[in-house]
Amino acid sequence: LRLFRNLKIAEKLLLTELAMTLSMLLVFSIFALGNHYHDLRTHLVQNILVQMNVVATSIGPAVMFDELSSAAKTLEPLSDNENIRTIVVLNQQQQTLESLHPLHAPIASAWQWLYPFFGDMALTTPIIVNEKVVGTLRATIKQEQIVDMLIGFAWSNTIAAIAAALFGYFVMWRLNRYIVGPIHTLQTFVSNITQNHHYEQRITTQSNDEIGLLGKDINNMLESISQRDAQLQQELEHRKEIEEKL
């Protein structure tokens, strides 16, 4: 606050406007990231649910007769999906018939430390044969790919925000000249009057805003001072004339 008080008006305006711009960009970025994360997650869940429904339909008879030895090939579409961590097939009594833990090549990313903050998702779909539920297909979904895509989106948003902030700073700097320029003109004019006592001078006002009204008030004040000085000068001359007659 002490530093802010020592700044010039132009610097205070720029700093205030820049802070407001960055605050709005931050709010927008957070909203955009949240919305993009929701879209990525929804898209991933929908795609995997489609795969799970297809597999559940194909594996139904094997689950009904507890014969999953020939069903491994049917589960391959899910096993090959790098977003799936585990696949569990349950019978009607919710007993585990098959449990798969697909092994995928680890993702080399500089943002792996973020993965624990995005927990796995559990998806289930019923296994139905002849309109009767004979089991459940359950899958645990990783969000690592979503995190990587979200980081890429965040970087692009950051670059766009920096570009917008720089452009906004340039625009604000140009606009502030129309605010600070008249103030600087007033300050120079008043300083000149104070130093040289040229009360007959007047400042030219070009706007009807607060700065223009202030310029008119300064002109009115100078007019009053000029009239007062003229009156005092007349009184002095009148007094001199009286003294000379005496």
Side-chain angles (χ1 to χ4, degrees), residues 7 30-31 48 62 89 154 246:
L7 295 176
I30 293 174
F31 174 79
I48 293 180
V89 180
L246 295 176

Side-chain angles (χ1 to χ4, degrees), residues 186 189 193 199-205 212-226:
L186 281 175
F189 177 79
I193 294 295
Y199 300 117
E200 71 281 357
Q201 294 183 357
R202 299 293 181 267
I203 189 169
T204 302
T205 57
L213 294 175
L214 178 59
K216 293 177 182 179
D217 289 338
I218 291 175
N219 286 339
N220 293 333
M221 181 186 66
L222 292 174
E223 183 66 28
S224 299
I225 294 174
S226 296

Side-chain angles (χ1 to χ4, degrees), residues 168-218:
Y169 181 84
F170 174 75
V171 172
M172 289 184 292
W173 175 72
R174 295 287 296 181
L175 291 177
N176 284 343
R177 294 175 60 186
Y178 295 99
I179 300 174
V180 179
I183 296 176
H184 181 69
T185 301
L186 281 175
Q187 186 267 332
T188 304
F189 177 79
V190 172
S191 297
N192 184 48
I193 294 295
T194 304
Q195 294 172 4
N196 301 321
H197 305 288
H198 293 161
Y199 300 117
E200 71 281 357
Q201 294 183 357
R202 299 293 181 267
I203 189 169
T204 302
T205 57
Q206 298 178 347
S207 64
N208 294 321
D209 55 11
E210 290 82 353
I211 298 176
L213 294 175
L214 178 59
K216 293 177 182 179
D217 289 338
I218 291 175

Side-chain angles (χ1 to χ4, degrees), residues 213-245:
L213 294 175
L214 178 59
K216 293 177 182 179
D217 289 338
I218 291 175
N219 286 339
N220 293 333
M221 181 186 66
L222 292 174
E223 183 66 28
S224 299
I225 294 174
S226 296
Q227 292 177 1
R228 185 199 64 185
D229 288 349
Q231 185 178 358
L232 289 174
Q233 187 65 28
Q234 289 178 359
E235 290 179 359
L236 287 173
E237 291 177 356
H238 182 65
R239 184 175 297 178
K240 285 182 180 180
E241 290 177 0
I242 294 175
E243 289 177 351
E244 288 176 356
K245 290 180 180 181

Side-chain angles (χ1 to χ4, degrees), residues 71-206:
K73 200 165 194 177
T74 309
L75 295 174
E76 281 185 3
L78 294 178
S79 301
D80 294 338
N81 194 318
E82 294 183 352
N83 295 301
I84 296 180
R85 191 182 302 276
T86 60
I87 306 167
V88 180
V89 180
L90 306 173
N91 60 14
Q92 194 172 10
Q93 291 75 34
Q94 297 301 300
Q95 297 173 339
T96 301
L97 296 179
E98 185 73 29
S99 180
L100 300 177
H101 300 270
L103 297 178
H104 302 126
I107 300 176
S109 172
W111 306 99
Q112 291 183 355
W113 58 275
L114 284 175
Y115 294 164
F117 295 97
F118 294 81
D120 294 343
M121 298 180 293
L123 298 180
T124 59
T125 189
I127 301 174
I128 301 175
V129 177
N130 296 328
E131 299 183 356
K132 179 182 178 181
V133 177
V134 297
T136 304
L137 180 62
R138 181 181 300 164
T140 303
I141 312 303
K142 299 180 291 184
Q143 297 195 71
E144 297 174 359
Q145 193 175 52
I146 292 180
V147 173
D148 292 337
M149 296 175 68
L150 200 62
I151 292 299
F153 181 76
W155 272 115
S156 61
N157 264 16
T158 301
I159 295 173
I162 293 174
L166 292 175
F167 178 75
Y169 181 84
F170 174 75
V171 172
M172 289 184 292
W173 175 72
R174 295 287 296 181
L175 291 177
N176 284 343
R177 294 175 60 186
Y178 295 99
I179 300 174
V180 179
I183 296 176
H184 181 69
T185 301
L186 281 175
Q187 186 267 332
T188 304
F189 177 79
V190 172
S191 297
N192 184 48
I193 294 295
T194 304
Q195 294 172 4
N196 301 321
H197 305 288
H198 293 161
Y199 300 117
E200 71 281 357
Q201 294 183 357
R202 299 293 181 267
I203 189 169
T204 302
T205 57
Q206 298 178 347

